[in-house]
Amino acid sequence: MPAKAAFFDVDGTLVKTNVVHVYAYYAMNRGSVLGIAGRTLSTALSVPLFGVMDVVDRKTFNEFFYRYYAGLTEDRLVTIAQDMFEDVLQPALFEQSQDLIDQARRSGCKVVLVTGALDFTMRPLARHLGVDDMIANKMQFVGGKATGKVIPPIIEGANKANAIRAYCVKEGLALDQCHGYSDSSSDYAMLAVVGRPTAVNPDMRLRSIARAYNWPILDLK
Amino acid sequence: MRPFKTLQKLYDEESQVVITEKGSPPRALFYGEGFLQEDLPVGTRVIFPRPPLAGVPNVKAAIRWAINHPEGMEPLHALLKPGMRLTCVIDDISVPLPPMVTPDVRQSILEVVLELAADSGVDDIHLVIANALHRRMTEGEMRRMVGQKIYDEFYPDRYYNHDAEDPDGIVALERTSHGEEVSVNRRVAESDLIIYVNVNFVPMNGGHKSMGTGVSNYASLRHHHNPKTIRASDSYMEPKASALYRSNERIGRNIDKHLKVFHIETSLNNRMFGGPTDFLAKKEEDYTEGDRLKFQAMRYALSKMPRAAARKVLNAIPAPYDVTGVFAGATEPAHQKTLEASWKQYVVPVEGQSDIVIFPIPFISPYSVNSILNPLLVQVMGLGYFFNLNRGVPLVKKGGVLILLHPAYDEFDPEHHPSYIEFFNRLLPETRDSMKLEHKYEKEFAENPSYVHLYRKGNAYHGVHPFYMWYWGENGRQHVGKVIVAGAENNHVPALMGWDRTDTLTEAIEEARGFMGRSATISLLRIAPTVMVDVK
């Protein structure tokens, strides 16, 4: 039996939240008390905008909001990531996410998260779920401080598919035996590249794609 | 319309076998969610089900008598001890077909048993549905099966579906002498007493299959649910001719060695239709004018309805079965009595095999209750179950032709049969060879995390189930020379199945005669209700 992996998108697939909430959390927890108040206000005002941008174009959205990390130190970001996991991500985990991951492992899959979020924000979640590996965006740091730029290529859309293909080559996995899980039609490429795609809590477009291609549809609770 | 008197004189009223003559009436035949009315060639042998046997006058009294006079075991009351751990394992919704009118006989048994257990000081009671790798029953179905009172008391903590994929929920017992793995549900394995609540629909149900299959898992089932075992079975309905039965017997005996199982088996008659549809159980020769009108009206209405609506209507008609016997006690002696009752109801002796056999395929199967009879299930009905409704000698000759009546539509239920869709669209175009399918793909489907999830958390059949459905038709496929699906509405489903297709039954018979010769003999099994043949 060739080695295989199960690739899981995170936002909306394993957790109810999405990257907009994660950003909001960071924005509200990054500096002084006065700063927090100001930023909370500006975040509150800009979150709806982010939401719209996210729907329209995930790539532009990612590039736009990662600039807000500029100037933060790496250790600070890691600390906030832990808090954010406990406050935002853990409560938002679907109850059945862990079961699905365990089932993938029992079937002999290596479990890999594939997410457009930044790696340090997802690391506590990855530890909690007990996954084997993670494909995520990486922030550029200069002198221990974030530049606000993400090391290209940005993991989203079609790049997720490329990243998965490259990962399989690197790890010696049979791509056609691998499983992919996502909720969003923006991840169509990622699902199309693996041999065993599954739509999880899919949006309307992905649901119709999944029906058209006879992919299984899971509704996690 | 032919006069009633002319029709009546054409056949012996006592016989279940009618030879079609020039004046014989057209036959009312199941055709998926609809009906066909077809004239058959003169000389066609039509085999009808036996009339329903009389039911026991008082079901609860019969249950009480059986558990007080069990076969090969002490009476149930003597086995119940205060503080003991008791588990009632219950047959799932795959039988009977269609589901019976309420109260279901399983409810009647549980009402008697649970009352006795309570009076004996037994509090630790679980009710486990023996769904094996079948889909989990829905809440509504579970409520209907045991009644509101039991449901309210036990659901959801103490009344639930068996989960064959729960990593902590299965216990492995010692292997059989043939090396077969024996796995059972943990709660069942850790109980002081197990009461198996059975409803026996055909002779392949019950006995060692109840525990050996019902509360087991894939690791254990694959030892007999495989093409090799199926090929070695001459019939699923006759224990002596079934390698499948023998494997279950070895597994079941191991279970009986380690666990205390008290079986309560019930046999039903074949009163499948009641009220407005009762004419369907009659010979067409016996139809009254009213019956003919009802049939025409029903046929017309179903043909004009969208298929989903026709399905809803047909699924909403429960069957008024009567209980013909209740047998309790140790696995083998209790089951022997059930088998006798079952054969008494179903078996019709017939003289010799036929070159061409026609099976009308109805809308329902054990695996499509409240769902869709997809192409793989049409296959399992024809080549799996109907082909095997005999005691070791099939109705059709070796190399003969089977004609199935069904639209063979390309429709699947993504909620109940998700892995069937992949099997049909991805694997069948590559191969129809059961051995190859088993070797190359079975494990992959069985372990696919998405299918495991849908089985455990949704209401989907296990990922491996379509393979079992394909294997089920294996001895039929090996036996017949050709399968024709008459009335298939498309070309690709029959092509993927390896079948020929025709628009009408007449064309199918013509083609079959072309294959078998002009003097080929023809039989029609006028099913449903259930009927089995004893070919002499």
Side-chain angles (χ1 to χ4, degrees), chain B residues 162-470:
Chain B
H162 164 66
D163 181 352
E165 286 291 342
D166 179 359
D168 305 319
I170 300 284
V171 174
L173 305 180
E174 112 188 65
R175 285 178 182 244
T176 67
S177 54
H178 285 54
E180 293 140 325
E181 286 162 78
V182 182
S183 305
V184 285
N185 179 291
R186 179 176 292 281
R187 163 73 200 192
V188 172
E190 291 173 355
S191 294
D192 301 305
L193 178 68
I194 299 136
I195 297 176
Y196 197 98
V197 178
N198 156 275
V199 49
N200 222 80
F201 189 57
V202 285
M204 75 173 283
N205 305 144
H208 285 301
K209 180 173 176 278
S210 297
M211 289 287 290
T213 296
V215 284
S216 186
N217 66 353
Y218 170 61
S220 181
L221 290 176
R222 69 197 165 97
H223 292 285
H224 45 78
H225 280 51
N226 60 55
K228 211 170 140 221
T229 309
I230 299 301
R231 282 187 187 181
S233 300
D234 289 330
S235 166
Y236 306 148
M237 304 297 169
E238 163 67 51
K240 287 192 204 92
S242 169
L244 183 68
Y245 190 94
R246 286 193 289 278
S247 177
N248 260 308
E249 192 172 55
R250 289 190 291 274
I251 289 171
R253 281 181 180 160
N254 253 24
I255 291 174
D256 282 351
K257 206 162 87 183
H258 291 90
L259 309 175
K260 199 167 189 67
V261 190
F262 186 91
H263 287 263
I264 304 175
E265 298 204 341
T266 56
S267 58
L268 302 179
N269 65 10
N270 63 355
R271 199 183 301 282
M272 203 174 258
F273 306 104
T277 58
D278 60 351
F279 64 91
L280 288 171
K282 291 183 182 177
K283 298 187 182 91
E284 288 79 359
E285 283 82 351
D286 293 343
Y287 275 22
T288 61
E289 284 304 320
D291 291 336
R292 290 187 208 190
L293 283 173
K294 274 195 278 184
F295 174 69
Q296 294 299 355
M298 189 161 95
R299 187 165 79 98
Y300 179 79
L302 288 171
S303 72
K304 294 294 166 206
M305 257 182 231
R307 199 173 280 140
R311 235 170 241 142
K312 266 242 164 336
V313 170
L314 292 166
N315 274 315
I317 308 173
Y321 298 111
D322 299 301
V323 176
T324 55
V326 185
F327 314 99
T331 316
E332 288 174 27
H335 187 54
Q336 191 52 42
K337 298 228 158 184
T338 315
L339 284 177
E340 280 155 24
S342 187
W343 283 323
K344 197 169 154 198
Q345 173 64 79
Y346 297 132
V347 171
V348 173
V350 297
E351 288 293 328
Q353 294 174 302
S354 288
D355 299 303
I356 302 166
V357 170
I358 305 165
F359 291 146
I361 308 291
F363 65 97
I364 199 168
S365 86
Y367 316 110
S368 65
V369 179
N370 299 322
S371 182
I372 300 170
L373 195 82
N374 63 51
L376 291 171
L377 295 178
V378 173
Q379 176 264 164
V380 86
M381 288 301 278
L383 291 154
Y385 286 126
F386 290 3
F387 175 80
N388 280 282
L389 284 169
N390 61 70
R391 293 214 269 187
V393 183
L395 188 56
V396 63
K397 277 184 191 158
K398 177 91 182 157
V401 178
L402 270 190
I403 298 175
L404 310 178
L405 297 186
H406 197 272
Y409 40 72
D410 183 0
E411 278 184 46
F412 289 83
D413 181 339
E415 209 176 300
H416 288 182
H417 305 119
S419 63
Y420 281 58
I421 301 173
E422 188 182 352
F423 183 95
F424 180 75
N425 290 296
R426 183 163 79 93
L427 305 194
L428 281 188
E430 184 188 321
T431 182
R432 289 192 289 272
D433 182 335
S434 295
M435 297 293 187
K436 194 169 170 195
L437 287 165
E438 180 195 28
H439 173 71
K440 209 167 159 191
Y441 296 113
E442 185 188 294
K443 196 160 179 282
E444 176 202 321
F445 272 61
E447 293 179 349
N448 183 320
S450 302
Y451 296 143
V452 172
H453 179 89
L454 286 162
Y455 161 78
R456 295 190 66 195
K457 312 290 179 186
N459 294 100
Y461 280 83
H462 194 273
V464 81
H465 208 259
F467 289 78
Y468 293 170
M469 293 301 92
W470 193 252

Side-chain angles (χ1 to χ4, degrees), chain A residues 8-11 13 58 114-116 155-158 160-161 164 181-193 197 203 205-206 209 215:
Chain A
F8 288 91
D9 169 55
V10 177
D11 298 335
T13 304
R58 175 63 72 91
V114 183
T115 171
I155 305 293
E156 53 70 45
K160 278 191 178 177
I164 286 172
Y181 294 86
S182 179
D183 69 308
S184 165
S185 54
S186 65
D187 287 335
Y188 170 61
M190 158 186 168
L191 293 176
V193 80
D203 56 32
R205 191 159 156 243
L206 182 61
I209 291 172
W215 296 347

Side-chain angles (χ1 to χ4, degrees), chain A residues 62 114-117 135-137 150-151 153-157 159-160 163:
Chain A
N62 281 350
V114 183
T115 171
I135 298 171
N137 281 313
V150 175
I151 299 170
I154 291 183
I155 305 293
E156 53 70 45
N159 281 337
K160 278 191 178 177

